[in-house]
Coordinates of all heavy atoms in Angstrom, one line a residue:
Chain B
L137 N 73.3 -7.2 108.9 CA 72.3 -7.3 110.1 C 71.0 -8.0 109.5 O 70.4 -7.4 108.7 CB 72.0 -6.0 110.7 CG 73.2 -5.1 111.1 CD1 72.7 -3.8 111.7 CD2 74.2 -5.8 112.1
V138 N 70.7 -9.2 110.1 CA 69.6 -9.9 109.6 C 68.5 -9.9 110.7 O 68.8 -10.4 111.8 CB 70.0 -11.3 109.3 CG1 68.7 -12.2 108.9 CG2 70.9 -11.3 108.1
G139 N 67.3 -9.5 110.4 CA 66.2 -9.5 111.4 C 65.2 -10.4 111.0 O 64.8 -10.4 109.8
A140 N 64.5 -11.1 111.9 CA 63.4 -12.0 111.6 C 62.5 -12.1 112.8 O 62.9 -11.8 114.0 CB 63.9 -13.3 111.1
K141 N 61.3 -12.5 112.6 CA 60.5 -12.8 113.8 C 61.1 -13.9 114.7 O 61.1 -13.9 115.9 CB 59.0 -13.1 113.3 CG 58.3 -11.9 112.8 CD 56.7 -12.2 112.9 CE 55.9 -11.0 112.6 NZ 56.2 -10.3 111.3
T142 N 61.3 -15.0 114.0 CA 61.9 -16.2 114.6 C 63.0 -16.8 113.8 O 63.1 -16.5 112.6 CB 60.8 -17.3 114.8 OG1 60.4 -17.9 113.6 CG2 59.4 -16.7 115.4
T143 N 63.6 -17.7 114.3 CA 64.7 -18.6 113.5 C 64.0 -19.1 112.4 O 64.7 -19.1 111.2 CB 65.2 -19.7 114.4 OG1 65.7 -19.1 115.7 CG2 66.3 -20.4 113.7
A144 N 62.8 -19.6 112.5 CA 62.2 -20.3 111.2 C 62.0 -19.3 110.1 O 61.8 -19.7 108.9 CB 60.8 -20.8 111.7
E145 N 61.9 -18.0 110.4 CA 61.7 -17.0 109.3 C 63.0 -16.5 108.8 O 63.0 -15.6 108.0 CB 60.8 -16.0 109.7 CG 59.3 -16.5 110.0 CD 58.2 -15.6 109.9 OE1 58.5 -14.4 109.7 OE2 57.1 -16.1 110.3
I146 N 64.2 -17.0 109.3 CA 65.4 -16.6 108.6 C 65.5 -17.5 107.4 O 65.9 -18.7 107.5 CB 66.6 -16.8 109.5 CG1 66.4 -15.7 110.7 CG2 67.9 -16.6 108.8 CD1 67.5 -15.9 111.8
V147 N 65.2 -17.0 106.2 CA 65.0 -17.9 105.1 C 66.2 -18.2 104.4 O 66.3 -19.2 103.6 CB 64.0 -17.2 104.2 CG1 62.6 -17.3 104.8 CG2 64.3 -15.9 103.7
V148 N 67.3 -17.4 104.4 CA 68.6 -17.6 103.6 C 69.7 -18.0 104.5 O 69.9 -17.5 105.5 CB 68.8 -16.3 102.9 CG1 70.0 -16.5 102.0 CG2 67.7 -15.8 102.0
P149 N 70.3 -19.2 104.1 CA 71.3 -19.7 104.9 C 72.6 -18.9 104.5 O 73.5 -19.4 103.8 CB 71.5 -21.1 104.5 CG 71.0 -21.1 103.1 CD 69.9 -20.1 103.0
I150 N 72.6 -17.7 105.2 CA 73.7 -16.8 104.7 C 75.1 -17.1 104.8 O 75.9 -16.9 104.0 CB 73.4 -15.4 105.6 CG1 72.1 -14.9 105.1 CG2 74.5 -14.4 105.3 CD1 71.3 -14.1 106.2
G151 N 75.4 -17.8 105.9 CA 76.8 -18.2 106.2 C 77.3 -19.2 105.1 O 78.5 -19.1 104.6
L152 N 76.4 -19.9 104.5 CA 76.7 -20.8 103.5 C 77.0 -20.1 102.0 O 77.7 -20.6 101.3 CB 75.7 -21.9 103.3 CG 75.4 -22.8 104.4 CD1 74.2 -23.7 104.1 CD2 76.6 -23.5 104.8
V153 N 76.4 -19.0 101.9 CA 76.4 -18.5 100.5 C 77.3 -17.2 100.4 O 77.7 -16.8 99.4 CB 75.0 -18.0 100.0 CG1 74.2 -19.3 99.8 CG2 74.3 -17.1 101.0

Side-chain angles (χ1 to χ4, degrees):
Chain B
L137 309 180
V138 174
K141 285 198 169 66
T142 70
T143 308
E145 298 202 358
I146 295 175
V147 292
V148 178
I150 293 152
L152 298 177
V153 293

